[in-house]
Amino acid sequence: MHYLVTGHTGFKGPWLTLLLLSRGHRVSGLALDPAEGSLFNRARLADQLVSDFRVDIRDAEATAAAVSAAAPDVVVHMAAQSLVRESYRNPRYTYETNAIGTLNMLEAVAATPSVRAHVVITTDKVYRNVDQEAGYVETDPLGGDDPYSASKAMADLLTQSWVRSFPGSPTAIARGGNVIGGGDISRDRLLPDLVAAYANGRAPQLRFPRAVRPWQHVLDCLNGYLTLTDALLDGSGSGQWNFGPGRESFVEVARVATLAAELWGGGARWDLQEGDHPHEANLLALDATKAQHELGWRNRLGFRDAVAWTVDWARRVHRGADALAVTEEQIAAFEAIE
């Protein structure tokens, strides 16, 4: 099976690429150039792709040409401006990339006869956040206060409308949560900031230590996406699907930072960052019961293992281990979990 992964040069993209390759699939990618220090470059992924298209998905013509040239069986659309704080700095780029870029992908897929399944990745932040303790379910209202959340809700609603209006390749929406894992170099994300600081002997500063997030390892989330893809290929799986961890993984930022410091060792610690900061949700989590019951998907890694695998990856690579080898080793260990 030939997969086209958009956003393959980011954080989740290389993990998905390597997971697909480990399962015997062929992979092409469509994305912007990778950032300096990216897992894509560290793992030398360009050598393993069928095609590697460098396209801005805001460009409808270039996007359509790339999808047509790739002629994939499956498209997993993950390309996005994915950071809340960056969305405040550059709202227009965020809206155009996440909403119009998704429209461009939907049009491109519709014009490519080879595509048998299409999964559009949105986020847990598409839900209208009312700080409820229970996780949000697929039928809860969508919303979004910050530009990132609103832009992804727009992409989600746009996809739902497109599917109803223009039936074609089986298309589903996957709403992922707050994922962690080795090789994430995104700005303003907790685990990358923590391990970068600990590696340099600094104490990272936390903006919102009491904020609760659902911590999920990237492989659990991606395995959900591929479980959904398999369902689409088998003639089911349409609609919207949550892929988040269980309640035991709804944990305060401070606890995550403390655990990561203990796992890193060497007296690592964190401090509180004073001052005012842009709004971020205090509590946001997904209820993945639907995916568990109807797709047979489940999380394989609990909270502590998700953090431990992330810190272990960073510590080993920091000490000179090959990023590709460590990533493939963790994928093999994940696949071996019953």
Side-chain angles (χ1 to χ4, degrees), residues 61-330:
E61 184 176 344
T63 299
V67 175
S68 176
D73 301 298
V74 179
V75 175
V76 181
H77 173 46
M78 297 194 301
Q81 193 302 98
S82 60
L83 301 175
V84 172
R85 285 167 68 87
E86 179 61 25
S87 77
Y88 282 107
R89 288 187 284 261
N90 202 339
R92 175 175 291 277
Y93 176 76
T94 300
Y95 285 118
E96 290 178 350
T97 299
N98 295 348
I100 301 304
T102 296
L103 174 61
N104 292 338
M105 281 301 304
L106 289 164
E107 289 185 325
V109 167
T112 305
S114 64
V115 179
R116 297 169 50 197
H118 182 200
V119 176
V120 176
I121 310 304
T122 60
T123 172
D124 54 357
K125 293 181 177 62
V126 299
Y127 291 105
R128 183 183 303 160
N129 193 337
V130 293
D131 286 328
Q132 66 186 35
E133 292 188 9
Y136 294 89
V137 298
E138 287 83 352
T139 54
D140 281 332
L142 304 191
D145 292 332
D146 59 86
Y148 167 70
S149 301
S151 70
K152 294 298 280 188
M154 292 165 65
D156 199 300
L157 288 168
L158 193 159
T159 302
Q160 293 181 50
S161 171
W162 183 273
V163 170
R164 294 190 190 101
S165 302
F166 309 106
S169 301
T171 300
I173 296 169
R175 297 167 180 162
N178 188 58
V179 299
I180 58 176
D184 187 358
I185 59 171
S186 302
R187 293 188 301 169
D188 302 323
R189 283 176 55 82
L190 181 65
L191 263 297
D193 290 348
L194 291 177
V195 297
Y198 297 157
N200 289 288
R202 296 185 288 103
Q205 295 188 323
L206 305 186
R207 299 189 302 272
F208 302 108
R210 300 302 300 274
V212 175
R213 295 289 184 271
W215 307 95
Q216 179 187 47
H217 194 271
V218 62
L219 285 172
D220 271 320
C221 182
L222 297 177
N223 186 49
Y225 298 168
L226 297 188
T227 301
L228 177 56
T229 297
D230 290 341
L232 286 173
L233 291 169
D234 288 340
S236 60
S238 61
Q240 300 80 52
W241 301 84
N242 289 341
F243 296 100
R247 290 192 61 82
E248 72 281 356
S249 296
F250 297 4
V251 176
E252 286 188 352
V253 165
R255 181 180 165 196
V256 176
T258 299
L259 174 59
E262 293 172 355
L263 292 167
W264 190 272
R269 63 180 182 84
W270 59 271
D271 292 327
L272 176 66
Q273 185 180 74
E274 303 291 346
D276 296 327
H277 308 290
H279 172 268
E280 293 185 27
N282 187 57
L283 174 62
L284 185 61
L286 297 175
D287 183 328
T289 301
K290 178 184 174 184
Q292 294 165 3
H293 289 174
E294 298 185 27
L295 298 179
W297 169 85
R298 66 178 178 86
N299 283 285
R300 301 180 187 179
L301 299 177
F303 162 70
R304 185 178 179 87
D305 283 340
V307 176
W309 283 37
T310 301
V311 174
D312 180 67
W313 190 102
R315 186 175 55 233
R316 291 172 63 188
V317 172
H318 175 68
R319 295 176 178 175
D322 180 69
L324 174 60
V326 176
T327 305
E328 290 180 330
E329 180 183 319
Q330 289 196 339

